[in-house]
Amino acid sequence: MTIIWLLVGLGLIVLGADWLVEGASSIARKAGVSEFVIGLTIVGFGTSCPELVVSLTGALEGNADVAVGNVLGSNIFNVLFILGLTALLCPVSMTADNRKTDIPETLLVTLLFLGFGMCHSLFGIGEADGLSRWDGTLFLLAFALYIYASFRRGKSPEEESAQSKPRKLWLAILLVIAGLAGLIFGGNLFVDSATALARILGVSDKFIAVTILAGGTSLPELATSLVAALKGRDQLALGNILGSNVFNILLILGSSALITPLSFASVTHVDALVLLLSVTLLLLWAYTGRRERIDRWEGALMLLLFGAYYTYLFINL
């Protein structure tokens, strides 16, 4: 039964991703907004729901390590593994706006996260590393500004493929809702079943935490990005990852810090360096190789870095 539920969860993830991509693309065309912005906002927020639930629950229970660790781990997983794997299978295109605005903004938000969160160890300011309620308020204000600016500059829709089937707006919205539900419920079912199966096989709890649970909340981003790229919706795939990372930092950590001040005691300098490097690589890829995309070799390099980081985590368990 555990294996059956595992397969059911996987099926829901695949179906949910397909519905979400189709619905989001239709809404973008109907609303006259680019697919990148839809990926950055609606899809990015939707696929970040698992991280939102985990981090807010951790904050409400006074467990700051869960809130911070979940966001940091998910953001690294999103860029190095998901975008790396997506680019390896199907090179991800970039626009001039991605290179000049969207990726630099994501890097700026990441620097904001590390600068405020690790203020003591990096600059000697304050008594300990962490985010206060005032920091959380600032993050939420920055999030509101980010969403407003994204919609303001995303009013030029991409050209619709001749093979695209027009959908009614209500059907597109229904597809997005059904897709998000499939991703979230399917992801939870998959993680629970995989965890139960790992325990049956005698795998340690630490191994489960670092592998299955760490990647589990990023399953929606993984499925959505892969399906979007395979359908030729590269901008939606890239927008999903960048949007999810910004949502994770500004909205999720901002909300969590308002509930309870967050400690960064469990965040090492290696974690911070890998997180910063992951987004910096995206900016570097925008100006190397074929400048208009993330090439397969660049995706492979991101996966190698992800593998090296996870090896480090296993060694230091």
Side-chain angles (χ1 to χ4, degrees), residues 64-128:
D65 286 347
V66 170
V68 176
N70 177 51
V71 165
L72 187 142
S74 292
N75 279 20
I76 291 173
F77 190 90
N78 285 349
V79 176
L80 293 183
F81 183 78
I82 296 177
L83 206 51
L85 180 61
T86 303
L88 185 64
L89 296 175
C90 182
V92 178
S93 63
M94 291 185 184
T95 65
D97 283 341
N98 294 156
R99 293 193 297 270
K100 296 175 182 176
T101 306
D102 304 312
I103 296 174
E105 280 181 350
T106 306
L107 180 59
L108 180 63
V109 169
T110 303
L111 288 170
L112 191 72
F113 166 65
L114 296 176
F116 276 80
M118 303 184 73
C119 206
H120 177 72
S121 60
L122 292 177
F123 310 114
I125 300 174
E127 297 180 0

CSV table of all heavy atoms in Angstrom, one decimal, residues 64-128:
chain,number,residue,atom,x,y,z
A,64,ALA,N,12.4,28.1,15.1
A,64,ALA,CA,13.0,29.0,14.0
A,64,ALA,C,13.8,28.2,13.0
A,64,ALA,O,13.9,28.5,11.8
A,64,ALA,CB,13.8,30.1,14.6
A,65,ASP,N,14.5,27.1,13.5
A,65,ASP,CA,15.4,26.3,12.7
A,65,ASP,C,14.6,25.7,11.5
A,65,ASP,O,15.1,25.6,10.4
A,65,ASP,CB,16.0,25.2,13.4
A,65,ASP,CG,17.1,25.7,14.4
A,65,ASP,OD1,17.5,26.9,14.2
A,65,ASP,OD2,17.6,24.9,15.2
A,66,VAL,N,13.3,25.3,11.7
A,66,VAL,CA,12.5,24.7,10.7
A,66,VAL,C,12.2,25.8,9.6
A,66,VAL,O,12.3,25.5,8.4
A,66,VAL,CB,11.2,24.1,11.2
A,66,VAL,CG1,10.2,23.8,10.1
A,66,VAL,CG2,11.5,22.9,12.1
A,67,ALA,N,11.8,27.0,10.1
A,67,ALA,CA,11.4,28.0,9.1
A,67,ALA,C,12.6,28.5,8.3
A,67,ALA,O,12.5,28.6,7.1
A,67,ALA,CB,10.8,29.2,9.9
A,68,VAL,N,13.7,28.8,8.9
A,68,VAL,CA,14.9,29.2,8.2
A,68,VAL,C,15.5,28.1,7.3
A,68,VAL,O,15.8,28.3,6.2
A,68,VAL,CB,15.9,29.8,9.2
A,68,VAL,CG1,17.2,30.2,8.4
A,68,VAL,CG2,15.4,31.0,9.9
A,69,GLY,N,15.7,27.0,7.9
A,69,GLY,CA,16.3,25.9,7.2
A,69,GLY,C,15.5,25.4,6.0
A,69,GLY,O,16.0,25.1,4.9
A,70,ASN,N,14.2,25.5,6.1
A,70,ASN,CA,13.3,25.1,5.0
A,70,ASN,C,13.4,26.0,3.8
A,70,ASN,O,13.5,25.6,2.7
A,70,ASN,CB,11.8,25.0,5.5
A,70,ASN,CG,10.9,24.7,4.4
A,70,ASN,OD1,11.0,23.7,3.7
A,70,ASN,ND2,9.8,25.5,4.3
A,71,VAL,N,13.5,27.3,4.1
A,71,VAL,CA,13.6,28.3,3.0
A,71,VAL,C,15.0,28.2,2.4
A,71,VAL,O,15.1,28.2,1.2
A,71,VAL,CB,13.3,29.7,3.6
A,71,VAL,CG1,13.8,30.8,2.6
A,71,VAL,CG2,11.8,29.9,3.8
A,72,LEU,N,16.0,28.2,3.2
A,72,LEU,CA,17.4,28.1,2.7
A,72,LEU,C,17.6,26.9,1.8
A,72,LEU,O,18.1,26.9,0.7
A,72,LEU,CB,18.4,28.2,3.8
A,72,LEU,CG,19.9,28.3,3.4
A,72,LEU,CD1,20.6,29.2,4.4
A,72,LEU,CD2,20.6,26.9,3.4
A,73,GLY,N,17.2,25.7,2.4
A,73,GLY,CA,17.3,24.5,1.6
A,73,GLY,C,16.5,24.4,0.3
A,73,GLY,O,17.0,24.0,-0.7
A,74,SER,N,15.3,24.9,0.4
A,74,SER,CA,14.4,25.0,-0.8
A,74,SER,C,15.0,25.8,-1.9
A,74,SER,O,14.9,25.5,-3.1
A,74,SER,CB,13.0,25.4,-0.4
A,74,SER,OG,12.4,24.5,0.4
A,75,ASN,N,15.5,27.0,-1.5
A,75,ASN,CA,16.0,27.9,-2.5
A,75,ASN,C,17.3,27.4,-3.2
A,75,ASN,O,17.4,27.5,-4.4
A,75,ASN,CB,16.4,29.3,-1.9
A,75,ASN,CG,15.2,30.2,-1.7
A,75,ASN,OD1,14.0,29.7,-1.7
A,75,ASN,ND2,15.4,31.4,-1.5
A,76,ILE,N,18.1,26.7,-2.5
A,76,ILE,CA,19.3,26.0,-3.1
A,76,ILE,C,18.8,24.9,-4.0
A,76,ILE,O,19.3,24.7,-5.1
A,76,ILE,CB,20.2,25.5,-2.0
A,76,ILE,CG1,20.9,26.6,-1.2
A,76,ILE,CG2,21.3,24.5,-2.6
A,76,ILE,CD1,21.7,26.2,0.0
A,77,PHE,N,17.8,24.1,-3.5
A,77,PHE,CA,17.3,23.0,-4.3
A,77,PHE,C,16.6,23.5,-5.6
A,77,PHE,O,16.8,22.9,-6.7
A,77,PHE,CB,16.3,22.2,-3.5
A,77,PHE,CG,15.8,20.9,-4.1
A,77,PHE,CD1,16.5,19.7,-3.8
A,77,PHE,CD2,14.7,20.9,-4.9
A,77,PHE,CE1,16.1,18.5,-4.3
A,77,PHE,CE2,14.3,19.7,-5.4
A,77,PHE,CZ,15.0,18.5,-5.2
A,78,ASN,N,15.9,24.6,-5.5
A,78,ASN,CA,15.2,25.2,-6.6
A,78,ASN,C,16.2,25.6,-7.8
A,78,ASN,O,15.9,25.2,-8.9
A,78,ASN,CB,14.4,26.5,-6.2
A,78,ASN,CG,13.2,26.2,-5.4
A,78,ASN,OD1,12.7,25.0,-5.4
A,78,ASN,ND2,12.6,27.2,-4.8
A,79,VAL,N,17.2,26.3,-7.4
A,79,VAL,CA,18.1,26.7,-8.5
A,79,VAL,C,19.1,25.7,-9.0
A,79,VAL,O,19.1,25.4,-10.2
A,79,VAL,CB,18.9,28.0,-8.0
A,79,VAL,CG1,19.9,28.4,-9.0
A,79,VAL,CG2,18.0,29.1,-7.6
A,80,LEU,N,19.8,25.1,-8.0
A,80,LEU,CA,20.9,24.1,-8.4
A,80,LEU,C,20.3,22.8,-9.0
A,80,LEU,O,20.8,22.3,-10.0
A,80,LEU,CB,21.8,23.8,-7.3
A,80,LEU,CG,22.7,25.0,-6.8
A,80,LEU,CD1,23.6,24.6,-5.7
A,80,LEU,CD2,23.5,25.6,-7.9
A,81,PHE,N,19.3,22.3,-8.3
A,81,PHE,CA,18.8,21.0,-8.8
A,81,PHE,C,17.7,21.1,-9.8
A,81,PHE,O,17.8,20.6,-10.9
A,81,PHE,CB,18.3,20.1,-7.6
A,81,PHE,CG,17.8,18.8,-8.0
A,81,PHE,CD1,18.8,17.8,-8.3
A,81,PHE,CD2,16.5,18.5,-8.2
A,81,PHE,CE1,18.3,16.5,-8.7
A,81,PHE,CE2,16.1,17.2,-8.6
A,81,PHE,CZ,17.0,16.2,-8.9
A,82,ILE,N,16.7,21.9,-9.5
A,82,ILE,CA,15.5,21.9,-10.4
A,82,ILE,C,15.9,22.7,-11.7
A,82,ILE,O,15.6,22.1,-12.8
A,82,ILE,CB,14.3,22.6,-9.7
A,82,ILE,CG1,13.8,21.8,-8.5
A,82,ILE,CG2,13.2,22.8,-10.7
A,82,ILE,CD1,12.7,22.4,-7.8
A,83,LEU,N,16.4,23.8,-11.6
A,83,LEU,CA,16.8,24.6,-12.8
A,83,LEU,C,17.9,23.9,-13.5
A,83,LEU,O,18.0,23.9,-14.8
A,83,LEU,CB,17.1,26.0,-12.5
A,83,LEU,CG,16.9,27.1,-13.6
A,83,LEU,CD1,15.5,27.0,-14.2
A,83,LEU,CD2,17.2,28.5,-13.0
A,84,GLY,N,18.9,23.3,-12.8
A,84,GLY,CA,20.0,22.6,-13.4
A,84,GLY,C,19.5,21.4,-14.2
A,84,GLY,O,19.9,21.2,-15.3
A,85,LEU,N,18.6,20.6,-13.6
A,85,LEU,CA,18.0,19.4,-14.3
A,85,LEU,C,17.2,19.8,-15.5
A,85,LEU,O,17.2,19.2,-16.6
A,85,LEU,CB,17.2,18.6,-13.3
A,85,LEU,CG,16.5,17.3,-13.9
A,85,LEU,CD1,17.6,16.4,-14.3
A,85,LEU,CD2,15.6,16.7,-12.8
A,86,THR,N,16.4,20.9,-15.3
A,86,THR,CA,15.5,21.4,-16.4
A,86,THR,C,16.4,21.8,-17.6
A,86,THR,O,16.1,21.5,-18.8
A,86,THR,CB,14.7,22.6,-15.9
A,86,THR,OG1,13.9,22.2,-14.8
A,86,THR,CG2,13.8,23.1,-17.1
A,87,ALA,N,17.5,22.6,-17.3
A,87,ALA,CA,18.4,23.0,-18.4
A,87,ALA,C,19.1,21.9,-19.0
A,87,ALA,O,19.4,21.9,-20.2
A,87,ALA,CB,19.4,24.0,-17.8
A,88,LEU,N,19.5,20.8,-18.3
A,88,LEU,CA,20.1,19.7,-18.8
A,88,LEU,C,19.3,18.9,-19.8
A,88,LEU,O,19.7,18.5,-20.8
A,88,LEU,CB,20.6,18.7,-17.7
A,88,LEU,CG,21.4,17.5,-18.1
A,88,LEU,CD1,22.7,18.0,-18.6
A,88,LEU,CD2,21.6,16.6,-16.8
A,89,LEU,N,18.0,18.8,-19.5
A,89,LEU,CA,17.0,18.2,-20.4
A,89,LEU,C,16.6,19.0,-21.5
A,89,LEU,O,16.4,18.6,-22.7
A,89,LEU,CB,15.8,17.7,-19.6
A,89,LEU,CG,16.0,16.7,-18.4
A,89,LEU,CD1,14.7,16.5,-17.7
A,89,LEU,CD2,16.5,15.4,-19.0
A,90,CYS,N,16.4,20.3,-21.2
A,90,CYS,CA,15.9,21.3,-22.3
A,90,CYS,C,16.5,22.7,-22.0
A,90,CYS,O,16.0,23.3,-21.0
A,90,CYS,CB,14.4,21.2,-22.3
A,90,CYS,SG,13.7,22.3,-23.6
A,91,PRO,N,17.5,23.2,-22.7
A,91,PRO,CA,18.0,24.5,-22.4
A,91,PRO,C,16.9,25.5,-22.1
A,91,PRO,O,16.0,25.6,-22.9
A,91,PRO,CB,18.9,24.8,-23.6
A,91,PRO,CG,19.3,23.5,-24.1
A,91,PRO,CD,18.1,22.6,-23.9
A,92,VAL,N,17.1,26.3,-21.1
A,92,VAL,CA,16.1,27.3,-20.7
A,92,VAL,C,16.5,28.7,-21.2
A,92,VAL,O,17.6,29.2,-21.0
A,92,VAL,CB,16.0,27.4,-19.1
A,92,VAL,CG1,15.0,28.5,-18.7
A,92,VAL,CG2,15.7,26.0,-18.5
A,93,SER,N,15.6,29.3,-22.0
A,93,SER,CA,15.9,30.6,-22.6
A,93,SER,C,15.8,31.7,-21.6
A,93,SER,O,15.0,31.6,-20.7
A,93,SER,CB,14.9,30.8,-23.8
A,93,SER,OG,13.6,30.9,-23.3
A,94,MET,N,16.5,32.8,-21.9
A,94,MET,CA,16.5,34.0,-21.1
A,94,MET,C,16.2,35.2,-22.0
A,94,MET,O,16.6,35.2,-23.2
A,94,MET,CB,17.8,34.3,-20.4
A,94,MET,CG,18.1,33.3,-19.3
A,94,MET,SD,19.7,33.8,-18.5
A,94,MET,CE,20.0,32.5,-17.3
A,95,THR,N,15.5,36.2,-21.5
A,95,THR,CA,15.2,37.4,-22.2
A,95,THR,C,16.2,38.5,-21.7
A,95,THR,O,16.8,38.3,-20.7
A,95,THR,CB,13.8,37.9,-22.1
A,95,THR,OG1,13.6,38.2,-20.7
A,95,THR,CG2,12.8,36.8,-22.5
A,96,ALA,N,16.2,39.6,-22.4
A,96,ALA,CA,17.0,40.7,-22.0
A,96,ALA,C,16.5,41.2,-20.6
A,96,ALA,O,17.4,41.6,-19.7
A,96,ALA,CB,16.9,41.9,-23.0
A,97,ASP,N,15.2,41.2,-20.3
A,97,ASP,CA,14.7,41.6,-19.0
A,97,ASP,C,15.1,40.6,-17.9
A,97,ASP,O,15.4,41.1,-16.8
A,97,ASP,CB,13.2,41.6,-19.1
A,97,ASP,CG,12.6,42.9,-19.7
A,97,ASP,OD1,13.4,43.8,-19.9
A,97,ASP,OD2,11.5,42.9,-20.2
A,98,ASN,N,15.2,39.3,-18.2
A,98,ASN,CA,15.7,38.4,-17.3
A,98,ASN,C,17.1,38.7,-16.9
A,98,ASN,O,17.5,38.7,-15.7
A,98,ASN,CB,15.7,36.9,-17.9
A,98,ASN,CG,14.3,36.4,-18.2
A,98,ASN,OD1,14.1,35.5,-19.0
A,98,ASN,ND2,13.3,37.0,-17.5
A,99,ARG,N,18.0,39.0,-17.8
A,99,ARG,CA,19.4,39.3,-17.6
A,99,ARG,C,19.6,40.6,-16.8
A,99,ARG,O,20.4,40.7,-15.9
A,99,ARG,CB,20.2,39.3,-18.9
A,99,ARG,CG,20.3,38.0,-19.6
A,99,ARG,CD,21.3,38.0,-20.7
A,99,ARG,NE,21.0,39.0,-21.8
A,99,ARG,CZ,20.3,38.7,-22.9
A,99,ARG,NH1,19.8,37.5,-23.0
A,99,ARG,NH2,20.0,39.6,-23.8
A,100,LYS,N,18.8,41.6,-17.2
A,100,LYS,CA,19.1,43.0,-16.7
A,100,LYS,C,18.3,43.3,-15.4
A,100,LYS,O,18.7,44.1,-14.6
A,100,LYS,CB,18.8,44.0,-17.7
A,100,LYS,CG,19.7,43.9,-19.0
A,100,LYS,CD,19.2,44.9,-20.0
A,100,LYS,CE,20.1,44.8,-21.3
A,100,LYS,NZ,19.6,45.7,-22.4
A,101,THR,N,17.2,42.6,-15.2
A,101,THR,CA,16.3,43.0,-14.1
A,101,THR,C,15.9,41.8,-13.2
A,101,THR,O,16.2,41.8,-12.0
A,101,THR,CB,15.0,43.6,-14.6
A,101,THR,OG1,15.3,44.6,-15.5
A,101,THR,CG2,14.1,44.1,-13.5
A,102,ASP,N,15.4,40.7,-13.7
A,102,ASP,CA,14.8,39.6,-12.9
A,102,ASP,C,15.8,38.9,-12.1
A,102,ASP,O,15.6,38.7,-10.9
A,102,ASP,CB,14.0,38.7,-13.8
A,102,ASP,CG,12.9,39.4,-14.6
A,102,ASP,OD1,12.2,40.2,-14.0
A,102,ASP,OD2,12.8,39.2,-15.8
A,103,ILE,N,16.9,38.4,-12.8
A,103,ILE,CA,17.9,37.7,-12.0
A,103,ILE,C,18.7,38.6,-11.0
A,103,ILE,O,18.9,38.2,-9.9
A,103,ILE,CB,18.9,37.0,-13.0
A,103,ILE,CG1,18.1,35.9,-13.8
A,103,ILE,CG2,20.1,36.3,-12.3
A,103,ILE,CD1,18.9,35.3,-14.9
A,104,PRO,N,19.1,39.8,-11.4
A,104,PRO,CA,19.7,40.7,-10.4
A,104,PRO,C,18.8,41.0,-9.2
A,104,PRO,O,19.3,41.1,-8.1
A,104,PRO,CB,19.9,42.0,-11.2
A,104,PRO,CG,20.1,41.5,-12.6
A,104,PRO,CD,19.2,40.4,-12.8
A,105,GLU,N,17.4,41.1,-9.5
A,105,GLU,CA,16.5,41.3,-8.3
A,105,GLU,C,16.5,40.1,-7.4
A,105,GLU,O,16.5,40.3,-6.2
A,105,GLU,CB,15.1,41.5,-8.9
A,105,GLU,CG,14.8,42.9,-9.4
A,105,GLU,CD,13.4,43.1,-9.8
A,105,GLU,OE1,12.7,42.1,-10.0
A,105,GLU,OE2,13.0,44.3,-10.1
A,106,THR,N,16.6,38.9,-8.0
A,106,THR,CA,16.6,37.7,-7.1
A,106,THR,C,17.9,37.7,-6.3
A,106,THR,O,17.9,37.3,-5.2
A,106,THR,CB,16.5,36.4,-8.0
A,106,THR,OG1,15.3,36.5,-8.8
A,106,THR,CG2,16.4,35.2,-7.1
A,107,LEU,N,19.0,38.1,-7.0
A,107,LEU,CA,20.3,38.1,-6.3
A,107,LEU,C,20.3,39.2,-5.1
A,107,LEU,O,20.8,38.9,-4.0
A,107,LEU,CB,21.4,38.5,-7.3
A,107,LEU,CG,22.8,38.6,-6.7
A,107,LEU,CD1,23.3,37.3,-6.1
A,107,LEU,CD2,23.8,39.0,-7.8
A,108,LEU,N,19.6,40.3,-5.4
A,108,LEU,CA,19.5,41.4,-4.4
A,108,LEU,C,18.7,40.9,-3.2
A,108,LEU,O,19.1,41.1,-2.0
A,108,LEU,CB,18.8,42.6,-5.0
A,108,LEU,CG,18.7,43.8,-4.1
A,108,LEU,CD1,20.0,44.3,-3.6
A,108,LEU,CD2,17.9,44.9,-4.8
A,109,VAL,N,17.6,40.2,-3.5
A,109,VAL,CA,16.8,39.6,-2.4
A,109,VAL,C,17.6,38.6,-1.6
A,109,VAL,O,17.5,38.5,-0.3
A,109,VAL,CB,15.5,39.0,-2.9
A,109,VAL,CG1,14.7,38.2,-1.8
A,109,VAL,CG2,14.6,40.1,-3.5
A,110,THR,N,18.4,37.8,-2.2
A,110,THR,CA,19.2,36.8,-1.5
A,110,THR,C,20.2,37.5,-0.7
A,110,THR,O,20.5,37.1,0.5
A,110,THR,CB,19.9,35.9,-2.6
A,110,THR,OG1,19.0,35.3,-3.4
A,110,THR,CG2,20.8,34.8,-1.9
A,111,LEU,N,20.9,38.6,-1.2
A,111,LEU,CA,21.8,39.3,-0.4
A,111,LEU,C,21.1,40.0,0.8
A,111,LEU,O,21.7,40.1,1.9
A,111,LEU,CB,22.5,40.4,-1.2
A,111,LEU,CG,23.5,39.9,-2.3
A,111,LEU,CD1,23.9,41.0,-3.2
A,111,LEU,CD2,24.7,39.3,-1.6
A,112,LEU,N,19.9,40.4,0.6
A,112,LEU,CA,19.1,41.0,1.7
A,112,LEU,C,18.9,40.0,2.8
A,112,LEU,O,19.0,40.2,4.0
A,112,LEU,CB,17.7,41.5,1.2
A,112,LEU,CG,16.9,42.3,2.1
A,112,LEU,CD1,17.5,43.7,2.2
A,112,LEU,CD2,15.5,42.5,1.5
A,113,PHE,N,18.5,38.7,2.4
A,113,PHE,CA,18.3,37.6,3.3
A,113,PHE,C,19.6,37.3,4.1
A,113,PHE,O,19.5,37.2,5.4
A,113,PHE,CB,17.9,36.4,2.5
A,113,PHE,CG,17.9,35.1,3.2
A,113,PHE,CD1,17.1,34.8,4.3
A,113,PHE,CD2,18.8,34.1,2.8
A,113,PHE,CE1,17.2,33.6,5.0
A,113,PHE,CE2,18.9,32.9,3.4
A,113,PHE,CZ,18.0,32.6,4.5
A,114,LEU,N,20.7,37.2,3.5
A,114,LEU,CA,21.9,36.9,4.2
A,114,LEU,C,22.5,38.1,5.0
A,114,LEU,O,23.0,37.9,6.1
A,114,LEU,CB,23.0,36.4,3.1
A,114,LEU,CG,22.7,35.1,2.4
A,114,LEU,CD1,23.8,34.9,1.3
A,114,LEU,CD2,22.6,34.0,3.3
A,115,GLY,N,22.3,39.3,4.4
A,115,GLY,CA,22.8,40.5,5.1
A,115,GLY,C,22.1,40.7,6.4
A,115,GLY,O,22.7,41.0,7.4
A,116,PHE,N,20.8,40.6,6.4
A,116,PHE,CA,20.0,40.9,7.6
A,116,PHE,C,20.1,39.7,8.5
A,116,PHE,O,20.2,39.8,9.8
A,116,PHE,CB,18.5,41.2,7.2
A,116,PHE,CG,18.3,42.6,6.9
A,116,PHE,CD1,18.6,43.1,5.6
A,116,PHE,CD2,17.7,43.5,7.8
A,116,PHE,CE1,18.3,44.4,5.3
A,116,PHE,CE2,17.5,44.8,7.5
A,116,PHE,CZ,17.8,45.3,6.2
A,117,GLY,N,20.0,38.5,8.0
A,117,GLY,CA,20.0,37.3,8.8
A,117,GLY,C,21.3,37.0,9.5
A,117,GLY,O,21.3,36.5,10.6
A,118,MET,N,22.4,37.3,8.8
A,118,MET,CA,23.8,37.0,9.4
A,118,MET,C,24.5,38.2,9.7
A,118,MET,O,25.7,38.3,9.5
A,118,MET,CB,24.5,36.1,8.4
A,118,MET,CG,23.8,34.8,8.0
A,118,MET,SD,24.7,33.7,6.9
A,118,MET,CE,25.9,33.1,8.1
A,119,CYS,N,23.8,39.2,10.1
A,119,CYS,CA,24.4,40.6,10.4
A,119,CYS,C,25.5,40.5,11.5
A,119,CYS,O,26.5,41.2,11.3
A,119,CYS,CB,23.3,41.5,10.9
A,119,CYS,SG,23.6,43.2,10.6
A,120,HIS,N,25.3,39.7,12.4
A,120,HIS,CA,26.3,39.6,13.5
A,120,HIS,C,27.6,38.9,13.1
A,120,HIS,O,28.7,39.5,13.3
A,120,HIS,CB,25.7,38.8,14.7
A,120,HIS,CG,26.7,38.6,15.9
A,120,HIS,ND1,27.1,39.6,16.7
A,120,HIS,CD2,27.4,37.5,16.3
A,120,HIS,CE1,27.9,39.2,17.6
A,120,HIS,NE2,28.2,37.9,17.3
A,121,SER,N,27.5,37.8,12.4
A,121,SER,CA,28.7,37.0,12.0
A,121,SER,C,29.4,37.7,10.9
A,121,SER,O,30.6,37.6,10.7
A,121,SER,CB,28.4,35.6,11.7
A,121,SER,OG,27.5,35.5,10.6
A,122,LEU,N,28.7,38.4,10.0
A,122,LEU,CA,29.3,39.1,8.9
A,122,LEU,C,29.8,40.5,9.2
A,122,LEU,O,30.9,40.8,8.7
A,122,LEU,CB,28.3,39.2,7.7
A,122,LEU,CG,27.9,37.8,7.0
A,122,LEU,CD1,26.8,38.1,6.0
A,122,LEU,CD2,29.1,37.1,6.4
A,123,PHE,N,29.1,41.2,10.0
A,123,PHE,CA,29.4,42.6,10.2
A,123,PHE,C,29.6,43.0,11.7
A,123,PHE,O,30.0,44.1,12.0
A,123,PHE,CB,28.3,43.5,9.6
A,123,PHE,CG,27.9,43.2,8.2
A,123,PHE,CD1,26.7,42.7,7.9
A,123,PHE,CD2,28.8,43.4,7.2
A,123,PHE,CE1,26.3,42.4,6.6
A,123,PHE,CE2,28.5,43.0,5.9
A,123,PHE,CZ,27.2,42.6,5.6
A,124,GLY,N,29.4,42.0,12.6
A,124,GLY,CA,29.6,42.3,14.0
A,124,GLY,C,28.5,43.1,14.6
A,124,GLY,O,28.7,43.7,15.6
A,125,ILE,N,27.3,43.2,13.9
A,125,ILE,CA,26.2,44.1,14.4
A,125,ILE,C,25.2,43.2,15.1
A,125,ILE,O,24.8,42.1,14.6
A,125,ILE,CB,25.5,44.8,13.2
A,125,ILE,CG1,26.5,45.7,12.5
A,125,ILE,CG2,24.3,45.6,13.7
A,125,ILE,CD1,26.0,46.3,11.2
A,126,GLY,N,24.8,43.6,16.3
A,126,GLY,CA,23.8,42.9,17.0
A,126,GLY,C,24.4,41.8,17.9
A,126,GLY,O,25.6,41.6,17.9
A,127,GLU,N,23.6,41.1,18.6
A,127,GLU,CA,24.1,40.1,19.6
A,127,GLU,C,24.1,38.7,18.9
A,127,GLU,O,25.0,37.9,19.4
A,127,GLU,CB,23.2,40.0,20.8
A,127,GLU,CG,23.2,41.4,21.6
A,127,GLU,CD,22.3,41.3,22.8
A,127,GLU,OE1,21.7,40.2,23.1
A,127,GLU,OE2,22.2,42.3,23.6
A,128,ALA,N,23.3,38.4,18.0
A,128,ALA,CA,23.3,37.1,17.4
A,128,ALA,C,22.6,37.2,16.0
A,128,ALA,O,21.9,38.2,15.7
A,128,ALA,CB,22.5,36.1,18.2
